[in-house]
Amino acid sequence: MAVQTLSQPRKHARSTSKLRRQLFIVLTNLILMGAVFLTALPFLYMISASFKPQYEIFTFPVKLLPETFFPDNYTKLFTETLFTRWFLNTFIVAGGRTLLSLLLCMLAGFAFAKYEFPLKQQLFIFILASLTLPFEILLVPLYKMMVGLGWLNTYWVMIVPFAANAFGIFLARQYSLALPTELMEAARMDGANELSIFFRIALPNLKPAIAVLGIIFFNGAWNDFLWPLIVINDRVMYVINLALPTLRGPYGDQYGLVLAGAVLATLPVIIIFVTMQRYFIEGLMAGALKG
Amino acid sequence: MAVNQSRPLQADVAAKQYSGLGYWWQRNQIKIVPYLYIAPFFILFAIFLAYPVLNSFWISFHKQQGISTPEFVGLSNYINLLADPRFKQSVINSTVYALGSLFLQIPLAFILAVVVHSWLVPWLNLKSFYRLAFFVPLLTSGVVVALMFGILYDYNSGLINSYLVSLFGEGAKIGWLRDPKVVKFSIILLLIWQFTGLNSLYFLAGLQNIPRELEEAAAMDGANAWTILFRITIPLLRPVILFVVITAINGSYQIFTQPYLLTGGGPRDQSISMVMYLYNTGFSYFNLGYASAIGYTLVLIVVTLALINLRFFGAFREDH
């Protein structure tokens, strides 16, 4: 923002520009607050509508707040649908994929950062190159493979195929590079074997990396939709994302139920994010800056 | 690894120490361990990524309906795609989504980051508040976002049309999801809402990495804010800009959930995306060969655009 007023005498210019600066600051923050409100609006509307009876969601004009507090959508969700099961399924799938990916990526990332071995660079570039491919080209062959394995409608189908995460290995390596090599050498002198160096020395020092990757993996698995849509058609094995759109019912009129489910589906992610936001943002930024 | 216990009855302890498995392991573990560490990753990677990528390419040259035996048809899947009006429409739509993120979302994210980073937001707490507030939509799954915007965009009783009617009367209603001319814009608007915060965060990270002294020195030399922005800040941000542009284009071509749930691709195929067409072809009609050909066309587009970007920004770099 050009705030210099060069034609005026210096002293005068400084006081006007200070006033103008403050005006700019107030104006900018008002606009930003408006944008924050617009960002929050769909959430507020969703939460509010989840507490409305059906007829009120679709009455015109729309009211932002429900007329009366109406928790029936939530109770119905737990009594008349398989919501508890779907919630549990999603936790098992997201948790399982997170743990497996973490183990694979930390081990491999650590090896790429701290050991020398033939073909190291080539293998790593090979992994990075896979990041540019849109994963949708995997859908058809992976589906055929899952049919062959008899894995359709199981937890395995949602946990195993996407556990080897290329972005994860990249971040795990970045964090491992920062580990002091002396630490490992000292332990080696004391007679520690390589496995205990990894579990006793590297991992405790890589807690931030584990947190970052853990959140990213969990969030990704929790919000997955396309893959479950293809490989799961048994209602009992649904994850929340698959179940939500079906809650509308055959006539698309049970919107309150859907929105209550959507609110509950979003809660775990938001809770994790609020408690660990520092790690989350750090991880994403590391991806951008080092990528 | 308790290898030394493997032969407890061996008489000659010294011989065991110098020739046994334990001794061999001790000498060589540092050579073997890295392979043991990367092996689990590479096994899964090979089975579930490398092999399917190649397999998909192979399938794309075959006619395969469901689990029937594939029949080699050469390039005919690709040739058929060229004449397929619905496929063409899906490419156009996905391209429009990508252009929307390139010309609306990324500039918006950039402006947001520059403003939040500048003296216009002088309080640190407020800076991090904005960072968080714009970021939260990213955490929400595509399904939830589609459901939310479904009620916001509803023609008769959505919040947006309700507001428009109260301001401008009944004629101001917009067919967000039912008007073929508007529907792509509605999807782009949704994507702006969901992803601007993320891109803004990337730009902010880049801005924080630029040494303040550089900008201050330029200001001392009499450069104004615009000159500093275009001569110092943007050139230094080039790697981050490249990253954001490539990931945003990549992401736009991979949109599926939002149009699938909001519009089902309609009205008149005006919102169908490439991935959605792939899904319909492969998993509603089980035309697996044709679906793989769509997938590889997607790869071709995304990789070409990434290379063009790298080239463009790379050539730019040599000028300075």
Side-chain angles (χ1 to χ4, degrees), chain A residues 111-166:
Chain A
F112 275 114
K114 288 295 172 192
Y115 291 92
E116 285 307 321
F117 52 94
L119 290 180
K120 181 169 120 164
Q121 294 308 324
Q122 289 85 337
L123 287 174
F124 192 65
I125 287 170
F126 182 61
I127 296 173
L128 286 191
S130 77
L131 277 173
T132 55
L133 291 175
F135 88 99
E136 286 83 3
I137 52 163
L138 304 176
L139 294 177
V140 167
L142 272 185
Y143 172 78
K144 285 175 72 179
M145 205 188 278
M146 296 302 125
V147 173
L149 286 170
W151 274 8
L152 296 189
N153 292 310
T154 63
Y155 291 126
W156 301 116
V157 78
M158 289 184 281
I159 293 175
V160 180
F162 292 109
N165 186 307

Side-chain angles (χ1 to χ4, degrees), chain A residues 32-72:
Chain A
L32 285 173
M33 284 297 178
V36 170
F37 176 72
L38 283 182
T39 308
L41 190 64
F43 285 110
L44 299 175
Y45 189 43
M46 171 174 79
I47 295 168
S48 140
S50 76
F51 285 106
K52 284 177 182 174
Q54 185 59 33
Y55 64 87
E56 205 189 314
I57 296 177
F58 290 110
T59 46
F60 194 84
V62 177
K63 291 195 181 67
L64 202 49
L65 285 178
E67 277 175 356
T68 49
F69 180 70
F70 182 81
D72 290 28

Side-chain angles (χ1 to χ4, degrees), chain A residues 1 28-29 39 43 58 60 62 104 118 136-137 141 144-145 161 194 223 225 241 255 258 273 277 280 284 288, chain B residues 29 35 37 40 47 52 55-56 64 115 120 126 130 132 135 139-141 156-157 162 193 202 225 254 295 299:
Chain A
M1 303 280 127
T28 313
N29 285 283
T39 308
F43 285 110
F58 290 110
F60 194 84
V62 177
L104 297 174
E136 286 83 3
I137 52 163
K144 285 175 72 179
M145 205 188 278
E194 297 302 315
N223 289 339
F225 176 65
N241 270 341
Y255 234 103
V258 179
F273 174 69
Q277 39 148 311
F280 204 157
L284 289 167
Chain B
Q29 64 168 327
Y35 290 109
Y37 285 4
I47 299 175
N55 190 217
S56 185
Q64 189 180 12
V115 168
L120 287 160
L126 206 58
Y130 289 136
L132 288 188
F135 182 76
L139 301 171
T140 322
S141 73
N156 289 315
S157 49
S162 170
W193 177 84
Y202 288 146
Q254 292 182 50
V299 172

Side-chain angles (χ1 to χ4, degrees), chain A residues 1-4 20-22 24-25 28-30 32-33 35-36 38-43 45-46 49 57-62 64 100 104-105 107-108 110-112 115-119 123-124 126-127 130-147 149 151 160-166 169 188 192-196 198 219 222-223 225-226 229-230 241-242 244-245 248 255 258-259 262 265-266 269-270 273 277 280-281 284-285 287-289 291, chain B residues 1 25 29-31 33-38 40-42 44-45 47-53 55-56 58-59 64 66-67 70 112 115-116 119-123 126 129-144 146-152 154 156-159 161-162 165 170 173 193 198 201-202 204-206 208-209 219 222-226 239-240 243 250 254-257 260-261 275 278-279 282-283 286 288-289 291-292 295-296 298-299 302-303 306:
Chain A
M1 303 280 127
V3 284
Q4 279 102 333
R20 278 175 82 172
R21 273 176 96 95
Q22 277 165 348
F24 269 129
I25 288 173
T28 313
N29 285 283
L30 279 177
L32 285 173
M33 284 297 178
V36 170
L38 283 182
T39 308
L41 190 64
F43 285 110
Y45 189 43
M46 171 174 79
I57 296 177
F58 290 110
T59 46
F60 194 84
V62 177
L64 202 49
L100 187 61
L104 297 174
C105 291
L107 266 174
F110 180 70
F112 275 114
Y115 291 92
E116 285 307 321
F117 52 94
L119 290 180
L123 287 174
F124 192 65
F126 182 61
I127 296 173
S130 77
L131 277 173
T132 55
L133 291 175
F135 88 99
E136 286 83 3
I137 52 163
L138 304 176
L139 294 177
V140 167
L142 272 185
Y143 172 78
K144 285 175 72 179
M145 205 188 278
M146 296 302 125
V147 173
L149 286 170
W151 274 8
V160 180
F162 292 109
N165 186 307
I169 203 174
R188 232 168 251 152
N193 67 34
E194 297 302 315
L195 212 62
S196 69
F198 176 72
N219 192 43
W222 186 273
N223 289 339
F225 176 65
L226 179 51
L229 182 68
I230 289 169
N241 270 341
L242 274 186
L244 281 180
R248 269 183 295 207
Y255 234 103
V258 179
L259 292 172
T266 313
V269 184
I270 300 280
F273 174 69
Q277 39 148 311
F280 204 157
I281 289 180
L284 289 167
M285 284 180 161
L289 290 180
Chain B
M1 303 258 116
W25 170 252
Q29 64 168 327
I30 206 142
K31 285 187 208 147
V33 154
Y35 290 109
L36 292 181
Y37 285 4
I38 63 172
F41 182 93
F42 269 98
L44 284 198
F45 189 81
I47 299 175
F48 296 114
L49 204 134
Y51 168 73
V53 166
N55 190 217
S56 185
W58 185 82
I59 298 172
Q64 189 180 12
I67 48 169
L112 207 63
V115 168
V116 170
W119 55 268
L120 287 160
V121 181
W123 308 278
L126 206 58
F129 169 74
Y130 289 136
R131 212 171 62 165
L132 288 188
F134 295 126
F135 182 76
V136 170
L138 185 84
L139 301 171
T140 322
S141 73
V143 174
V144 171
L147 293 171
M148 269 189 213
F149 277 74
I151 48 169
L152 283 173
D154 193 273
N156 289 315
S157 49
L159 186 68
N161 275 356
S162 170
V165 167
E170 196 65 23
K173 272 189 183 173
W193 177 84
L198 174 71
L201 198 74
Y202 288 146
L204 262 175
Q208 281 161 5
N209 263 24
N224 70 28
W226 293 113
V240 181
F243 173 85
N250 231 326
Q254 292 182 50
I255 284 166
F256 168 76
T257 310
Y260 176 77
L261 288 175
V275 177
L278 188 159
Y279 172 81
F283 301 99
F286 290 97
L288 300 181
S292 287
Y296 261 92
L298 184 70
V299 172
V302 167
V303 171

Side-chain angles (χ1 to χ4, degrees), chain A residues 174-276:
Chain A
Q174 294 293 340
Y175 278 91
S176 302
L177 282 175
L179 280 180
T181 313
E182 297 81 46
L183 217 61
M184 294 164 57
E185 269 158 16
R188 232 168 251 152
M189 299 283 257
D190 292 343
N193 67 34
E194 297 302 315
L195 212 62
S196 69
I197 287 177
F198 176 72
F199 281 107
R200 301 256 180 92
I201 293 165
L203 276 194
N205 283 296
L206 286 171
K207 273 182 196 153
I210 297 173
V212 166
L213 287 176
I215 300 166
I216 292 176
F217 292 154
F218 189 85
N219 192 43
W222 186 273
N223 289 339
D224 196 5
F225 176 65
L226 179 51
W227 181 241
L229 182 68
I230 289 169
V231 291
I232 305 291
N233 51 46
D234 176 359
R235 243 179 118 69
V236 179
M237 288 303 293
Y238 273 7
V239 286
I240 296 182
N241 270 341
L242 274 186
L244 281 180
T246 68
L247 285 175
R248 269 183 295 207
Y251 307 105
D253 55 355
Q254 303 213 58
Y255 234 103
L257 208 60
V258 179
L259 292 172
V263 170
L264 293 177
T266 313
L267 265 183
V269 184
I270 300 280
I271 290 171
I272 291 175
F273 174 69
V274 169
T275 49
M276 307 184 86

